[in-house]
Amino acid sequence: MRIRVLGSGAGGGFPQWNCNCPNCDGLRKGTINAKARTQSSIAISGDNTNWVLFNASPDILTQFRGFPELQPARAIRDTAVRSVVLMDAQIDHTTGLLMLREGKTPLEIYCTDMAYEDLTTGNPLLKILEHYCGVNWHQIPTQANNSFEIVGVEDLEFTAVPLRSKAPPYSPHRHDPHEGDNIGMRVIDTRSGKNLFYAPGLGEIEPHVRPFLEEADCLLVDGTCWTNDEMAAQGIANKMSLDMGHLPQSGPGGMMEVLRPLKASRKILIHINNTNPILREDSEERRQLEAEKIEVSYDGMDITL
Ligand code: MLT
Ligand code: MN
Ligand code: ZN
C-alpha cells in the first residue's frame, strides 16, 4: 500500500494565521529551519489508482494541487478519491468536505455513529452537502475486531479502534464522551500482509489499543505537543495537551516511551501543533526523536508499505 501525507500539521496549520509563537514567527521571518505544514490528512491506495482520503482538511484544495495523482484526468470531471474516512468530527478533519461539493456522485463517507451525529447536528456539514453532491454515509463499526471494506478500494482491509477522547467543542455531547467520538485505524494490505496503524488523536494508551500498536509495521500517530503544558507555557492558551486528547511526546508515559519497545519499522508522528519544538529540524527535541528512530511527517511524505 501507498500512504501519502497530505497535511502533517494540527488544527491551525503551521504557521497559524494569528500566531506569533517562536515557531510561527520564525517560519514567517525565515529565521528557523522548519517547513510549513497544512492541516492533518492522509491518502491511502492499494493500487496507485484509487485513493481513500483519511480526514478532509480545510486545506484540502492546496493538498490536492500538491499531489497531482489525485487528478488522473480520465473525463471532463474526474477524481482518484473514491471515499473519505473520518477519524472524528473535529473542524480540522472535516471542513474540507465542503470543498468537494461539486462531486458528480454522492460522496462516499465513512465515519462512526457519533461523528455522524455531530456532523448532522452541532456542525451539520453532511446535511449541507445534501444540497450539492449528496452523501452516501457508511457506518464504521467500532466493536472489537470488526473489519470492513471500502467502496472502490481493493486489497485493503480496515479495522477501527475506539479511542478515549473528547467530542469536538461544538458537539452537543462535548462533556459526555461516547465510544466512537474518536477512532484509530488499522489498514492491512491483504497481499503483503503489512499493516499501518493511524491515530492522529491518541490521548491515552488503553489496553485494547496496545495490540494495534504492537502488531503494526508502520505507525502514524499523534505528534501534537512535546510537553503537556506547551501552549500554556508559551502564554497561548490554558489548554493542556492531555485535556485535548493528545499524548505529549516527552516525559514519563509520553509517546517516546510508548513507541520505544514497539517493533514497527517506521514510527512516524503526524498532526503536529505549530508550538511543538520538533518542527525545528535542528532542535534538541528533534535530535532526541532521531535517537529513538522516530520520524516527523511532512506534507508530501510518501510511504510504501
Ligand atoms: C484537536 O485536534 O484537538 C482539534 O482539532 C483542535 C481544534 O479544533 O482546534
Ligand atoms: Mn486536530
Ligand atoms: Zn504558533
Side-chain angles (χ1 to χ4, degrees):
M1 95 180 90
R2 222 175 119 203
I3 304 152
R4 178 81 176 196
V5 175
L6 298 176
S8 53
F14 177 47
Q16 180 175 311
W17 68 284
N18 64 346
C19 191
N20 290 300
C21 73
N23 280 350
C24 290
D25 186 54
L27 185 71
R28 275 189 210 100
K29 292 183 172 152
T31 55
I32 61 167
N33 180 7
K35 292 184 182 74
R37 283 169 163 83
T38 61
Q39 296 168 79
S40 173
S41 172
I42 64 171
I44 299 185
S45 178
D47 60 4
N48 273 317
T49 303
N50 299 294
W51 291 82
V52 189
L53 212 58
F54 279 72
N55 297 320
S57 146
D59 302 315
I60 196 166
L61 298 181
T62 308
Q63 295 172 343
F64 280 15
R65 280 180 212 119
F67 187 37
E69 285 178 58
L70 295 183
Q71 182 45 267
R74 299 163 294 198
I76 187 76
R77 291 271 167 106
D78 197 16
T79 179
V81 174
R82 297 298 302 267
S83 45
V84 187
V85 178
L86 304 173
M87 309 303 283
D88 54 47
Q90 296 270 9
I91 299 270
D92 57 345
H93 285 163
T94 58
T95 44
L97 290 174
L98 291 177
M99 300 305 119
L100 306 182
R101 67 190 177 284
E102 299 91 351
K104 265 177 50 176
T105 52
L107 282 173
E108 303 287 349
I109 295 186
Y110 291 75
C111 67
T112 62
D113 280 337
M114 281 302 124
Y116 184 78
E117 190 181 304
D118 281 341
L119 294 171
T120 47
T121 57
N123 176 17
L125 289 180
L126 302 185
K127 291 207 158 163
I128 295 173
L129 286 167
E130 288 300 341
H131 301 279
Y132 297 87
C133 55
V135 168
N136 207 356
W137 173 52
H138 306 259
Q139 181 206 48
I140 294 184
T142 51
Q143 303 87 344
N145 295 319
N146 207 332
S147 65
F148 63 101
E149 287 176 5
I150 288 187
V151 172
V153 177
E154 312 228 322
D155 303 318
L156 299 180
E157 195 181 280
F158 303 81
T159 310
V161 190
L163 303 175
R164 191 174 301 156
S165 195
K166 274 187 171 167
Y170 69 77
S171 169
H173 66 276
R174 164 73 166 172
H175 301 292
D176 176 21
H178 286 61
E179 180 169 298
D181 284 335
N182 193 289
I183 55 172
M185 191 74 69
R186 170 184 280 171
V187 184
I188 302 180
D189 186 319
T190 54
R191 292 156 307 180
S192 68
K194 294 261 195 282
N195 83 86
L196 161 78
F197 184 66
Y198 173 58
L202 186 56
E204 193 181 327
I205 312 299
E206 301 162 83
H208 74 274
V209 182
R210 265 194 196 281
F212 288 87
L213 297 172
E214 285 164 359
E215 291 159 20
D217 297 294
C218 177
L219 288 154
L220 204 45
V221 293
D222 195 331
T224 310
C225 292
W226 178 256
T227 51
N228 191 32
D229 68 347
E230 185 170 298
M231 307 239 276
Q234 298 190 36
I236 287 171
N238 254 338
K239 296 187 271 192
M240 293 294 146
S241 180
L242 285 165
D243 294 340
M244 294 187 294
H246 299 299
L247 183 69
Q249 286 106 57
S250 62
M255 192 61 88
M256 281 197 292
E257 235 180 69
V258 171
L259 296 179
R260 198 168 293 144
L262 302 178
K263 71 159 174 71
S265 57
R266 305 282 303 264
K267 301 172 181 175
I268 308 171
L269 300 174
I270 192 163
H271 190 277
I272 301 147
N273 199 53
N274 56 71
T275 48
N276 194 327
I278 64 173
L279 289 170
R280 294 195 302 271
E281 289 173 28
D282 46 11
S283 64
E284 159 59 21
E285 292 82 358
R286 181 66 86 96
R287 201 198 52 72
Q288 285 185 44
L289 291 182
E290 278 160 13
E292 304 267 358
K293 297 200 162 28
I294 297 171
E295 302 171 68
V296 180
S297 68
Y298 50 87
D299 294 16
M301 186 181 202
D302 213 295
I303 302 157
T304 302
L305 197 61

